[in-house]
Amino acid sequence: MDKDIHLYQQLYTIRCFENLLMDQFSSGIFPGTTHTCLGQEANAVGVLSHLCEQDVVVSNHRCHGHFLAYGGDPVALFAELMGKPSGVCGGVGGSQHLHWQNFYSNGVQGGTVAMATGMALAEKRAGTQAIVIDFLGDGTLGEGIVYECLNMASLWAAPILYVLENNHIAQTTPVDLALAGSITKRFEAFNISASHLDSSDILEIYPLAGELVDKVRKESRPHVLIIESARLGSHSKGDDTRHPEELDRLWRSRDPVAIQTARLSEAALRSVNCQVEAAIQSAFEAALAVESRRG
Amino acid sequence: MMAQRPATVLDSLNLGLRQALEADSRVILLGEDILSPYGGAYKVSRGLSKAFPDQVLTTPISEAGITGIAGGMALRSMRPVVEIMFGDFTTLIADQVINHIAKFNRMYNGQVTAPVVIRTPMGGHRGYGPTHSQTLDKLFLGVPGLTVLAPINLSGADPLGVPGRLLYDSITKANSPVLFIENKLQYLMKLLTPTDLGEFDMADLSPAGSGRYPFYKFALKAAPPARITLAAYGYMAALALEAVQQLAYEHEVFCELLVPSLLAPFELAPIIQSVKGTTRLLTIEEGTLTSGWGAEVLAITAAALGPGLQRTGRLAAQDSVIPVAPELEAACLPDTADIINQVREMVRRT
Ligand SMILES: Cc1ncc(C[n+]2csc(CCOP(=O)(O)OP(=O)(O)O)c2C)c(N)n1
Ligand SMILES: [Mg+2]
């Protein structure tokens, strides 16, 4: 398949998954809450397309896109979100606590950086050549443990690529109200080299991430990729305090699916859309059909 | 050369660590100031970095970070051991223990294990004051997925000694995270040998097949039936042993002392069995009184025995800050005389 189409297909798969999830949330099929990655699909696909089999991914509360881009099964993810025994973690973990193969997520801000750094050190000691990809958000830079771990990651040369998805907001708090100084300099202060990209375009994220994955593997040292991004959905189910005009502007300028759509022929687009929409719909129905817990 | 048998709790723990490092190259020690020649603030790690330079990592002063990193290492097949310099600082690792390491197994639906051992010395009587003397065990009792252990100073049949064996087994065999509670005054205590305990009948009542967590019962030989059950662990168990002797010789009060090494999850069958005979139960701990270990032990025993439990007592530290001044500190923490007084009070006929 053409590369442009393949990347689009992955972006659109995540988009359809999250859209269907939001559409169905009010129906009561999904217990609890959830955080969608609408607008940040290209970060997941762009980075995780470059993994080797042994590599490890650590994600956070906003993990569905990362999970699907890693190769996770949408049926198992829907089932997990429905709390079913056939879910990724048997319905125990739910939206923010996934583990499958070498993919792990946890919903407590900051602690995942420790977990990921420890994993990278373990892989290094075992000589597996694996690297760890650790996704974190701008708001998580408020947690002290992050800096404890950046210090040790650098000190002990952990093979880890931190991917900082700076969507400029944490729940309702704009980054300007929470963060002093420079994000890049925070990493550089620990002698962790930083790459910076202000883009939602998969064709910009994908090649840079590829280089960085190789670099971390080759140097066996930490590196950070800071991606200026946009959260196009609400924080969780429907809690967006941003001005509609602001959201409108973001949708028009920072939608990774729209950016990639423009590069596809109408025929290709139609065919991929049909196929992806059907696949997600049938994943949802398959998850719905499996038996729930009794009682 | 045959390794010498350890004489003290400190020697025993050190030997347990040494043998664990030797047995499994996936074992790694992380902690502050643990390199030779210093070997950690209480010397439990002394000599180990010389013998195993690749497996002993001195760390920055980052308790949360090193605990979390150990959690990640454990998820990827290592067997990390974290030393927290003072038990007081377990407050700094609470999120990593409670929301990460102890959660992983169940939260990921049994797909992973996170065998991290966190060792730390609790306890006062050293004049270290409010923030370096506490016994915070109770904060971690009842955390789902976390095993909490505390050793008693016994030599036992094992060449490692009881504390070292408990630690060794935790590091090399446990499949769940372990908080391993040590005690500052216990470190230099002699490992009691069968000769030292000659006056006692001693039995390990841990359930058959699970001998990993010894649960000792002590009573004086040929004594009349005990009128009260004492329950204590760790350093307090050593004080309770003295109290049992003095109560018998000086006051003609006979006790059974029950000493678990597994604090959580709570498995109290031997205590309940003992109280069936004595009807009285005194719990003894060095942490503060309110919502402590003893409260849970009494609640479980009461639920099991109903009216069969007739008198209860809890001996613990006062619910206060631990002062530096020796006489103030002593007044705040339980000691042997307090045990004796409370037992006499509880067996007094009304
Ligand atoms: C320790 C902790 N504090 C608060 C929260 C609640 N919370 C969940 S997500 C979130 C915002 C995180 O912002 P950021 O790191 O920027 O990620 P984003 O949501 O933008 O992807 C907050 C405050 C949490 N999960 N963990
Ligand atoms: Mg954010």
Side-chain angles (χ1 to χ4, degrees):
Chain A
M1 194 194 290
D2 175 285
K3 183 66 164 291
D4 274 353
I5 299 179
H6 181 61
L7 290 172
Y8 173 80
Q9 181 193 43
Q10 292 181 77
L11 295 176
Y12 194 59
T13 296
I14 299 171
R15 174 63 54 89
C16 284
F17 185 97
E18 299 287 49
N19 276 339
L20 197 154
L21 178 62
M22 288 311 272
D23 288 348
Q24 291 291 336
F25 226 99
S26 53
S27 75
I29 305 166
F30 300 107
T33 191
T34 196
H35 310 86
T36 69
C37 67
L38 297 169
Q40 297 175 215
E41 295 91 342
N43 305 341
V45 174
V47 174
L48 298 181
S49 297
H50 304 285
L51 297 191
C52 296
E53 195 184 333
Q54 73 271 25
D55 291 342
V56 177
V57 179
V58 175
S59 175
N60 55 10
H61 57 294
R62 206 172 293 292
C63 60
H64 306 162
H66 303 147
F67 177 80
L68 294 171
Y70 177 74
D73 175 12
V75 181
L77 183 54
F78 273 132
E80 183 64 27
L81 301 177
M82 292 171 188
K84 298 209 172 179
S86 60
V88 182
C89 289
V92 179
S95 173
Q96 337 186 46
H97 312 106
L98 304 177
H99 168 56
W100 177 68
Q101 294 190 356
N102 288 340
F103 183 96
Y104 306 77
S105 70
N106 196 356
V108 189
Q109 305 306 315
T112 47
V113 177
M115 167 184 178
T117 303
M119 290 171 151
L121 291 167
E123 297 301 322
K124 182 170 185 141
R125 293 181 76 90
T128 62
Q129 305 299 316
I131 70 165
V132 175
I133 309 285
D134 179 22
F135 289 96
L136 65 155
D138 49 287
T140 302
L141 294 174
E143 294 288 355
I145 194 171
V146 171
Y147 305 96
E148 295 186 12
C149 293
L150 296 183
N151 181 48
M152 287 182 273
S154 180
L155 201 58
W156 299 332
I160 183 165
L161 178 63
Y162 298 106
V163 179
L164 192 124
E165 298 186 78
N166 183 5
N167 58 15
H168 304 267
I169 191 162
Q171 201 148 337
T172 65
T173 305
V175 70
D176 305 345
L177 294 187
L179 192 126
S182 142
I183 295 179
T184 309
K185 284 184 185 161
R186 289 187 183 201
F187 285 87
E188 287 173 348
F190 294 105
N191 202 20
I192 295 176
S193 52
S195 306
H196 185 268
L197 188 62
D198 182 0
S199 176
S200 299
D201 185 346
I202 185 69
L203 292 195
E204 292 190 311
I205 298 168
Y206 176 88
L208 177 58
E211 281 169 34
L212 298 179
V213 164
D214 288 347
K215 175 181 157 75
V216 168
R217 198 180 317 277
K218 201 162 104 256
E219 296 177 357
S220 193
R221 279 204 50 86
H223 186 88
V224 63
L225 168 59
I226 301 161
I227 308 176
E228 308 288 333
S229 193
R231 193 188 86 199
L232 296 179
S234 51
H235 169 65
S236 52
K237 285 180 290 184
D239 45 355
D240 211 326
T241 48
R242 290 173 294 183
H243 200 281
E245 272 173 28
E246 163 70 359
L247 273 174
D248 223 45
R249 190 186 63 74
L250 290 174
W251 272 107
R252 275 184 279 107
S253 59
R254 303 297 302 235
D255 176 1
V257 173
I259 293 169
Q260 188 63 358
T261 298
R263 300 191 175 109
L264 266 56
S265 74
E266 225 169 273
L269 194 62
R270 207 174 315 115
S271 127
V272 174
N273 284 0
C274 262
Q275 177 258 321
V276 168
E277 286 160 22
I280 291 300
Q281 182 64 33
S282 75
F284 174 70
E285 283 163 16
L288 206 54
V290 296
E291 209 167 329
S292 301
R293 275 190 184 71
R294 281 172 205 283
Chain B
M1 191 185 81
M2 267 286 286
Q4 232 183 327
R5 277 187 81 102
T8 61
V9 172
L10 187 67
D11 295 342
S12 176
L13 294 171
N14 180 262
L15 192 58
L17 287 175
R18 180 178 288 273
Q19 295 205 354
L21 287 163
E22 179 120 57
D24 191 339
S25 63
R26 298 170 310 161
V27 174
I28 180 173
L29 307 191
L30 299 123
E32 296 157 16
D33 302 293
I34 61 175
L35 294 188
S36 297
Y38 190 65
Y42 291 91
K43 316 291 175 212
V44 180
S45 303
R46 80 184 154 199
L48 300 179
S49 72
K50 268 235 159 68
F52 306 93
D54 296 335
Q55 287 168 269
V56 180
L57 201 51
T58 199
T59 71
I61 308 168
S62 302
E63 288 79 9
I66 62 178
T67 303
I69 281 174
M73 288 174 159
L75 285 176
R76 303 301 296 177
S77 301
M78 290 182 68
R79 288 194 162 266
V81 182
V82 176
E83 172 171 309
I84 301 296
M85 189 186 279
F86 284 84
D88 307 72
F89 310 148
T90 53
T91 53
L92 291 159
I93 67 169
D95 176 55
Q96 283 306 308
V97 172
I98 298 169
N99 285 324
H100 294 78
I101 296 168
K103 284 277 188 295
F104 290 144
N105 174 266
R106 182 69 187 116
M107 163 166 119
Y108 296 145
N109 204 26
Q111 299 179 87
V112 303
T113 57
V116 179
V117 174
I118 300 161
R119 306 177 22 247
T120 193
M122 300 283 182
H125 295 293
R126 295 276 301 240
Y128 291 164
T131 63
H132 292 65
S133 307
Q134 297 166 93
T135 296
L136 298 180
D137 317 348
K138 69 179 179 184
L139 301 183
F140 292 91
L141 300 177
V143 172
L146 180 67
T147 300
V148 184
L149 301 177
I152 176 179
N153 56 315
L154 287 189
S155 122
D158 199 299
L160 281 181
V162 168
R165 168 58 56 188
L166 195 63
L167 182 57
Y168 176 89
D169 284 353
S170 301
I171 298 167
T172 59
K173 297 181 192 156
N175 278 324
S176 71
V178 170
L179 178 61
F180 193 91
I181 307 276
E182 300 167 7
N183 178 284
K184 301 182 192 100
L185 290 194
Q186 200 190 27
Y187 282 138
L188 296 182
M189 289 185 119
K190 185 176 187 300
L191 293 180
L192 300 175
T193 62
T195 319
D196 297 322
L197 293 165
E199 294 172 63
F200 285 94
D201 278 325
M202 182 180 107
D204 177 3
L205 303 179
S206 52
S210 79
R212 285 242 309 271
Y213 306 127
F215 200 140
Y216 294 104
K217 176 174 141 178
F218 299 91
L220 284 173
K221 281 185 175 143
R227 295 176 58 207
I228 183 167
T229 302
L230 312 189
Y233 64 86
Y235 172 62
M236 284 290 129
L239 299 192
L241 265 176
E242 286 172 22
V244 168
Q245 279 175 309
Q246 290 185 34
L247 280 160
Y249 297 141
E250 293 167 24
H251 306 284
E252 286 190 35
V253 176
F254 298 95
C255 315
E256 280 178 3
L257 170 62
L258 277 291
V259 181
S261 54
L262 172 65
L263 306 188
F266 283 78
E267 287 176 16
L268 301 181
I271 292 177
I272 293 165
Q273 190 58 35
S274 168
V275 177
K276 271 186 188 160
T278 62
T279 74
R280 296 179 182 85
L281 175 57
L282 173 65
T283 61
I284 305 158
E285 67 199 296
E286 196 180 327
T288 51
L289 179 72
T290 300
S291 297
W293 175 74
E296 187 66 25
V297 172
L298 290 179
I300 291 170
T301 308
L305 296 182
L309 175 60
Q310 287 177 13
R311 279 220 62 178
T312 63
R314 287 181 295 159
L315 186 60
Q318 286 172 12
D319 284 325
S320 88
V321 159
I322 300 173
V324 167
E327 62 283 12
L328 296 180
E329 181 182 40
C332 179
L333 300 175
D335 60 18
T336 309
D338 296 327
I339 301 173
I340 292 168
N341 290 339
Q342 187 144 356
V343 168
R344 294 183 66 203
E345 165 65 28
M346 285 174 68
V347 298
R348 191 165 294 148
R349 290 178 216 285
T350 44

